Amino acid sequence: MSRPTAAVATAADWSEVVALRTRVFVEEQGVPPEVEQDAADATAVHAVARDDAGRVVATGRLLERDGRAVVGRMAVDAAVRGAGHGAAVLGVLHREALARGLTEVELHAQVSARGFYERAGYTAVGGEYEEAGIVHVTMRLLLGHGARGT
């Protein structure tokens, strides 16, 4: 298998993005479907990574809120977790943030994914809390200061 790469998603990728997010968040994690998709999807920058067969196996989105980049909806197919697809998506989102002049990134990490984000240079800010029935922690990163994949 080749080293995972990712790219900014196009409209043609949207059905695969929705299918992956539904598998991961709704079916696997029990997030209500009406919570998983929201109005921010329409204005977000989405990134995707594909497997060697061309299927979308990882995705995430980037929003701008109060002058800060906000990464969210990071989803990786269970079959390829740990293979670098999520890191490739995060790298694209970091580059897109920098291209927009945003140097601080914030995300709400599921506690089970905290180590993944720490390896990417993120630091936890504050305590744990529940979102959509799952324990999360807010994490932040200053791009260009230890960020991987930028």
Side-chain angles (χ1 to χ4, degrees):
M1 188 162 121
S2 59
R3 184 172 180 260
T5 60
V8 172
T10 66
D13 297 318
W14 187 243
S15 64
E16 285 188 272
V17 167
V18 170
L20 174 61
R21 284 173 35 178
T22 298
R23 281 196 313 276
V24 171
F25 296 125
V26 178
E27 296 168 12
E28 184 182 325
Q29 299 179 350
V31 174
E34 61 275 13
V35 172
E36 197 289 307
Q37 288 190 45
D38 62 21
D41 278 330
T43 57
V45 174
H46 298 268
V48 294
R50 296 179 178 278
D51 63 12
D52 290 339
R55 293 178 299 252
V56 170
V57 294
T59 188
R61 75 179 187 187
L62 176 73
L63 300 168
E64 182 178 345
R65 190 174 300 132
D66 301 323
R68 178 183 293 145
V70 179
V71 167
R73 300 305 197 271
M74 288 285 297
V76 179
D77 190 277
V80 299
R81 286 187 192 140
H85 295 283
V89 164
L90 202 54
V92 168
L93 297 176
H94 289 168
R95 286 189 293 278
E96 289 296 313
L98 284 170
R100 287 160 175 73
L102 304 171
T103 57
E104 185 176 21
V105 185
E106 180 175 291
L107 54 81
H108 295 181
Q110 292 182 11
V111 170
S112 61
R114 180 176 178 158
F116 166 79
Y117 293 112
E118 287 175 341
R119 288 188 296 279
Y122 284 80
T123 303
V125 180
E128 297 178 357
Y129 51 91
E130 191 175 296
E131 254 181 26
I134 300 168
V135 180
H136 285 71
V137 62
T138 298
M139 301 186 82
R140 290 193 184 136
L141 169 72
L142 286 177
L143 293 173
H145 297 85
R148 318 281 194 288
T150 54

